[in-house]
Amino acid sequence: MTTIRTARDPRWGETFTRLKAMTGQGRYEEVEAEARALAALPRRPWRRRPPHWEARVLATGAAVMHGRMAEALDELDTLIADLEPVGLNSRMLRLIARSNRVVALSGLRRYAEAETEANGVLRELNQIAHRAPVAALEINTLGHLAVVLCGLGRHEEAEAVARGNLPRAKGPAVGVLHTTLARGLNGQGRYEEALTEVRRGTRPPPRYAGGYPDLVAAEALYGLGRRTEAEDAVRRSLADCERQLHPSHPRTGEARALLARITGEEPGREAGGAEPGE
């Protein structure tokens, strides 16, 4: 935990670098707690990039990745309204918050709103691409958009977005995009291809994608009539979701619904849903 006590402390940059590294390690609860403590410090209103804004963006992003979509969405709406894009840095922070909002909306199955928000973020990133390094945020937002398109039943478009951006993806985004591509293929009934794509993903996936590859693999195996393998995969997915994600994460419900369909324990429906970004 940081020992920063004032907004004038010179260690802000070092602290945020450390918190971002912790986010990459999946330590969402720790990041959120520390970021919220930082956000509560006295503000420096004259700064174009007030540290409390960056802390709030980190805190809400951690909440989204953990899976607290409804709670995070309310806070993101307030944050985005408060965070005036008066300079390039604050504009980027606002775009990060808006990209996180796409994930929250998608997780709540508000897909049409999520698509509108994602496209808005992408347009604005294109406007400032000559002034700021936007590639990572753009790839993440495009990955979110592909998930949203799956939720809207536009699987061919989801495939095109995921496949078209895989060559530019780096790090954990590569495996997540492979999995989302597989989900788009599942929606088209191309189950063998979907299994191939899932297996190309990173193992183990980042914490925010916990249970995602096995869930999509289970969908493909079930589509192929390989029920025993599908049940094993969806049980692994559910175990990962329960171990790594917040109980309210939508993927946990998706895994339970798919398990019920496979085992015939209750009338089911096709699973759908969202993947948070980085």
Side-chain angles (χ1 to χ4, degrees):
M1 179 67 71
T2 183
T3 57
I4 289 178
R5 292 291 180 267
T6 73
R8 295 183 180 275
D9 195 296
R11 291 171 293 172
W12 280 100
E14 174 186 329
T15 298
F16 285 138
T17 297
R18 177 174 54 79
L19 289 177
K20 289 171 185 175
M22 289 168 60
T23 301
Q25 296 163 5
R27 297 162 63 182
Y28 306 137
E29 300 91 333
E30 296 172 70
V31 171
E32 183 179 357
E34 188 166 346
R36 290 194 185 283
L38 292 171
L41 294 174
R43 303 178 182 182
R44 298 173 69 182
W46 55 269
R47 287 194 58 170
R48 287 196 168 190
R49 190 183 186 184
H52 73 275
W53 277 352
E54 187 158 3
R56 288 173 68 188
V57 170
L58 278 170
T60 52
V64 168
M65 284 188 277
H66 196 197
R68 302 198 333 267
M69 307 300 186
E71 176 187 342
L73 181 60
D74 289 340
E75 190 171 357
L76 281 165
D77 287 342
T78 301
L79 171 59
I80 291 165
D82 290 347
L83 213 167
E84 299 179 7
V86 295
L88 185 59
N89 287 332
S90 59
R91 190 173 182 181
M92 281 296 297
L93 285 175
R94 194 169 187 265
L95 287 168
I96 292 168
R98 289 181 63 193
S99 186
N100 288 333
R101 186 173 185 267
V102 174
V103 180
L105 287 167
S106 182
L108 295 170
R109 298 180 182 271
R110 293 165 58 177
Y111 297 122
E113 295 170 77
E115 182 186 15
T116 298
E117 185 73 283
N119 285 328
V121 171
L122 291 168
R123 281 194 300 271
E124 192 165 344
L125 287 172
N126 186 58
Q127 292 169 4
I128 64 173
H130 65 291
R131 302 172 55 203
V134 302
L137 181 57
E138 182 183 35
I139 289 294
N140 285 339
T141 305
L142 285 163
H144 305 333
L145 177 60
V147 172
V148 170
L149 292 170
C150 285
L152 289 167
R154 289 154 56 187
H155 301 291
E156 294 87 350
E157 293 177 63
E159 178 192 357
V161 171
R163 194 183 297 281
N165 287 283
L166 267 168
R168 297 197 299 144
K170 297 179 181 179
V174 176
V176 176
L177 267 179
H178 275 297
T179 305
T180 301
L181 171 56
R183 190 155 225 176
L185 293 169
N186 276 339
Q188 299 173 64
R190 294 158 59 187
Y191 302 120
E192 291 286 3
E193 293 175 70
L195 283 176
T196 299
E197 291 298 334
V198 170
R199 290 164 182 159
R200 288 176 177 166
T202 306
R203 295 286 183 163
R207 184 182 172 191
Y208 67 81
Y212 190 39
D214 280 319
L215 177 64
V216 175
E219 291 170 345
L221 290 163
Y222 183 57
L224 291 168
R226 294 158 60 177
R227 297 175 71 97
T228 300
E229 294 171 83
E231 181 177 348
D232 289 343
V234 77
R235 288 190 185 281
R236 288 195 302 271
S237 172
L238 183 56
D240 282 345
C241 290
E242 291 175 340
R243 183 176 66 254
Q244 298 188 67
L245 305 174
H246 190 270
S248 65
H249 198 294
R251 192 175 306 123
T252 305
E254 293 169 24
R256 288 177 179 148
L258 181 57
L259 178 60
R261 285 171 53 212
I262 292 170
T263 60
E265 293 176 0
E266 62 181 36
R269 52 180 175 75
E270 190 170 35
E275 173 51 34
E278 207 171 343

